């Protein structure tokens, strides 16, 4: 499934990290080979002997480290994350004491669920209380994550709201998962805030992302989205908003997994 990935790697992203914890030779930086020699990315094992779905990352290299996996950026010399079954790329980005940035990738294959992902519903956990809905094209209210600013009409003809997304979702940079059916071939989405600015994606082809008329669409929350939409910790408090510029679909549920 095609996913949206907006991952920005800058030196500023490491400014709040812990300082390097030992002196580094060679004028304050190490090589990629030295970084890999002091780092590891492992997968737990299922009783069957197959790879599980929990990835553990660690480095003892004297660097500030950031791990990118499953659409998330985890800062620290140690990180772990539950993943879906399948092949994944884990990227280690390291900031050396002299400002040199190093990156290296690890290919991981998760074959069996050893620690199930848990669903946290934003909408649609109870299909009777929160029925599916079909957003209207060029109606920015239909998929605005706000308790009161936007609203839609569900398949039973009743008005409903998508709730505010919490700061834990924004600053935790969760991946929103949309359960979608009846997606038209011309379904094109603009991803922005409820104030129409900033715009995160001007034209996103939803049908292409799904690979068909039905499926799960994953939208990772980015740092730019968090800065614009979170209501605390420095966020601007603008609601995340998804508007169909053409076509449409049926939204059955919205959730994230941990």
């Amino acid at each position: 499934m095609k996913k949206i990935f907006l991952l920005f790697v800058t030196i500023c992203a490491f400014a709040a990290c812990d300082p390097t914890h030992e002196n580094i030779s060679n004028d304050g930086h190490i090589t990629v080979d030295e970084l890999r020699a002091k780092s590891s990315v492992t997968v737990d094992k299922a009783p069957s002997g197959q790879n599980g779905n929990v990835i553990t990352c660690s480095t003892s290299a004297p660097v500030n480290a950031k791990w990118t996996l499953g659409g998330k950026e985890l800062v620290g010399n140690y990180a772990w994350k539950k993943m879906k079954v399948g092949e994944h790329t884990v990227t280690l980005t390291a900031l050396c004491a002299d400002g040199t940035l190093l990156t290296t990738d690890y290919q991981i294959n998760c074959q069996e669920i050893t620690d199930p992902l848990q669903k946290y519903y934003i909408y649609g956990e109870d299909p009777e209380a929160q029925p599916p809905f079909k957003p209207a094209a060029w109606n920015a209210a239909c998929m605005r994550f706000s308790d009161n600013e936007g609203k839609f009409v569900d398949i039973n003809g009743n008005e409903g709201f998508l709730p505010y997304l919490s700061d834990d979702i924004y600053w935790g940079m969760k991946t929103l998962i949309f359960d979608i059916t009846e997606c038209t071939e011309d379904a094109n989405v603009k991803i922005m805030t409820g104030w129409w600015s900033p715009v995160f994606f001007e034209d996103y082809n939803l049908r292409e992302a799904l690979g068909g008329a039905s499926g799960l669409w994953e939208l990772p929350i980015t740092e730019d989205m968090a800065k614009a939409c979170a209501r605390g910790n420095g966020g601007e408090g603008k609601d995340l908003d998804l508007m169909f510029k053409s076509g449409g679909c049926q939204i059955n549920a919205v959730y994230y997994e941990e």
Side-chain angles (χ1 to χ4, degrees):
M1 181 186 302
K2 179 179 177 182
K3 300 180 182 178
I4 306 173
F5 289 100
L6 290 181
L7 305 177
F8 300 95
V9 180
T10 65
I11 291 177
C12 294
F14 290 91
C17 300
D18 293 334
T20 53
H21 51 74
E22 62 180 87
N23 292 328
I24 309 173
S25 60
N26 194 23
D27 294 325
H29 77 268
I30 60 176
T31 66
V32 171
D33 288 342
E34 290 170 327
L35 177 65
R36 288 188 70 93
K38 293 187 175 184
S39 307
S40 66
V41 177
T42 60
V43 184
D44 65 326
K45 292 294 183 180
S48 64
Q50 293 196 104
N51 289 343
N53 72 307
V54 180
I55 295 179
T56 300
C57 312
S58 66
T59 183
S60 61
V63 296
N64 288 325
K66 176 169 66 177
W67 305 90
T68 304
L69 65 163
K72 296 290 181 292
E73 294 180 345
L74 306 172
V75 175
N77 286 49
Y78 174 86
W80 72 277
K81 192 175 188 303
K82 293 189 288 186
M83 306 292 289
K84 295 180 179 180
V85 168
E87 296 183 354
H88 304 281
T89 298
V90 179
T91 299
L92 169 58
T93 304
L95 175 64
C96 299
D98 68 351
T100 301
L101 277 175
L102 305 173
T103 62
T104 185
D105 291 338
Y106 300 82
Q107 303 302 321
I108 297 295
N109 185 14
C110 297
Q111 301 168 308
E112 187 174 328
I113 296 295
T114 47
D115 193 349
L117 291 164
Q118 183 175 348
K119 290 183 179 181
Y120 295 88
Y121 279 89
I122 297 165
Y123 183 87
E125 182 174 12
D126 182 347
E128 292 188 6
Q130 296 179 322
F133 63 96
K134 297 180 178 181
W138 288 102
N139 187 335
C142 292
M143 292 184 67
R144 181 171 177 170
F145 287 90
S146 170
D147 290 342
N148 48 40
E149 292 291 341
K151 60 186 177 182
F152 55 82
V153 177
D154 65 34
I155 59 173
N156 296 324
N158 300 311
E159 291 184 346
F161 294 87
L162 287 174
Y164 283 121
L165 297 179
S166 70
D167 279 10
D168 287 342
I169 292 175
Y170 283 123
W171 291 120
M173 297 184 188
K174 310 297 186 185
T175 295
L176 304 184
I177 302 174
F178 295 79
D179 182 343
I180 291 174
T181 53
E182 302 180 34
C183 184
T184 63
E185 293 186 1
D186 60 340
N188 189 33
V189 180
K190 181 172 185 173
I191 303 173
M192 57 185 182
T193 71
W195 282 256
W196 292 68
S197 176
V199 175
F200 309 112
F201 288 90
E202 181 65 44
D203 294 284
Y204 189 84
N205 190 309
L206 185 56
R207 177 65 174 255
E208 180 182 338
L210 286 175
S214 301
L216 300 178
W217 175 43
E218 299 189 4
L219 174 64
I221 297 295
T222 66
E223 184 178 1
D224 281 357
M225 292 177 184
K227 287 178 178 178
C229 300
R231 286 174 288 166
N233 300 308
E236 296 180 18
K238 298 179 178 180
D239 307 326
L240 183 64
D241 199 347
L242 285 65
M243 183 186 72
F244 278 87
K245 296 174 68 173
S246 62
C249 70
Q250 178 170 299
I251 306 293
N252 301 308
V254 184
Y255 59 92
Y256 65 93
E257 293 181 322
E258 289 284 296

